Amino acid sequence: MERMTHSAAITSLALALIMAAPAAHAICGTAEGACTLPDGSYELVLPSDGQGAVPAVMFLHGHGGSARGVLSMRGVISALTDRGYAVIAPNGARRAEDGPRSWSFLPTFGGRDDFDFLPAVLADAGERFNIDAEHSVLAGFSSGAFMVNYLACERPDSFAAYLPVSGGFWRQQPEDCAGPVRLYQSHGWTDGVVPLEGRILGGGRFIQGDIWAGLELWRETLGCATHAPDRMWQEGELMLRSWSCHAEADLTFELFPGGHMIPQGWADRAINWLEASELDAEHTD
């Protein structure tokens, strides 16, 4: 479905990000350095100066990616750990023995139940590394971003907030979601892999959804009385709009210039948004 995406995205990312060295990843005793669960594995980076329980950003790779590939995004990892966040990078499951790793956000995909697996990873990291699960968030790129949206929709209380990049829902998208969430969604204006309007794949077997329609679903979930955003603004080449129509949730959409990639400065902007919210006052005090 996204066979052309991962290598191109990593190349764009490498050119766009400042490549600072990350903290060493935590090792659970295996030769590969991955932490293992019955249904899969993950890798983890801790902030160098973390004391006590620390919040985490769980980041889901794109189709064909891996946890190790996520940790190779040194600019993103360093930006997050420098802000005091651990980074948890789960490995997607292979749908065939030698197939690419991805996420089962649709029932037709079969395989591992990632709606159970990802919260289990967070709980395991909490026990092993003193991760503050209550203030940890779920992020993802491309297929990982689709998984972020679907988990947020189906099980909104699994993470404190959701940060999808370059992905939304598929058609037919859910008619409703289980509850409101805090969500910061980012998408590229010229994304041709996951266009803003969606596209048809596999001879019509799969249809990427319209990003704007997904935002409408989230507005309805938040109970917004109007489609119009509460705020619209521009930061350099970034165009943003936000909706704050729920006492315990909010929605921000970031439209950036460029294609299927993680834009430069995304990690700091996402954490700024997370920590600026009054909903996260307990963590930021």
Side-chain angles (χ1 to χ4, degrees):
M1 291 176 293
E2 296 176 38
R3 295 181 179 87
M4 59 178 285
T5 70
H6 187 67
S7 60
I10 291 299
T11 299
S12 297
L13 182 64
L15 293 174
L17 297 174
I18 298 173
M19 303 299 282
H25 63 275
I27 296 177
C28 294
T30 67
E32 295 80 13
C35 310
T36 58
L37 294 171
D39 292 331
S41 62
Y42 68 93
E43 299 196 30
L44 183 144
V45 174
L46 290 169
S48 58
D49 58 350
Q51 296 182 358
V54 297
V57 175
M58 183 182 295
F59 196 99
L60 309 183
H61 60 73
H63 184 82
S66 67
R68 188 58 56 90
V70 169
L71 296 191
S72 73
M73 302 188 305
R74 293 179 289 168
V76 170
I77 303 304
S78 293
L80 295 173
T81 56
D82 286 350
R83 299 288 293 270
Y85 287 77
V87 180
I88 304 171
N91 279 303
R94 302 183 190 277
R95 295 176 194 154
E97 184 175 351
D98 58 349
R101 297 183 183 276
S102 196
W103 309 99
S104 296
F105 48 85
L106 293 180
T108 54
F109 291 168
R112 183 179 69 194
D113 186 340
D114 286 321
F115 293 89
D116 285 341
F117 175 68
L118 297 175
V121 167
L122 181 60
D124 187 78
E127 294 178 1
R128 298 194 198 211
F129 303 105
N130 199 20
I131 296 299
D132 178 4
E134 183 179 355
H135 294 100
S136 292
V137 303
L138 182 65
F141 171 70
S142 193
S143 284
F146 284 104
M147 186 70 224
V148 169
N149 271 281
Y150 276 93
L151 192 144
C153 183
E154 184 171 318
R155 302 187 186 182
D157 295 332
S158 298
F159 292 83
Y162 298 88
L163 313 172
V165 183
S166 302
F169 292 104
W170 290 66
R171 294 189 184 275
Q172 298 290 327
Q173 76 176 23
E175 294 184 1
D176 51 44
C177 292
V181 297
R182 303 174 59 202
L183 188 138
Y184 186 100
Q185 182 158 347
S186 306
H187 211 94
W189 175 251
T190 57
D191 193 334
V193 176
V194 182
L196 285 162
E197 300 78 11
R199 65 174 178 140
I200 298 172
L201 299 170
R205 292 185 301 120
F206 303 103
I207 305 176
Q208 292 173 348
D210 188 308
I211 298 299
W212 307 109
L215 290 170
E216 181 176 16
L217 173 60
W218 284 122
R219 289 194 300 271
E220 293 173 352
T221 303
L222 267 62
C224 297
T226 177
H227 296 300
D230 299 303
R231 184 184 176 207
M232 295 180 285
W233 72 103
Q234 192 163 345
E235 296 178 6
E237 294 184 308
L238 298 173
M239 292 182 286
L240 301 101
R241 54 219 305 125
S242 65
W243 295 261
S244 302
C245 38
H246 192 282
E248 298 179 354
D250 48 14
L251 170 65
T252 296
F253 181 59
E254 170 190 286
L255 187 63
F256 60 86
H260 198 62
M261 59 185 289
I262 303 172
Q264 185 174 5
W266 167 82
D268 274 318
R269 291 194 299 276
I271 298 302
N272 287 344
W273 168 84
L274 181 67
E275 296 187 344
S277 172
E278 293 179 359
L279 303 176
D280 202 41
E282 180 181 346
H283 172 56
T284 56
D285 283 350

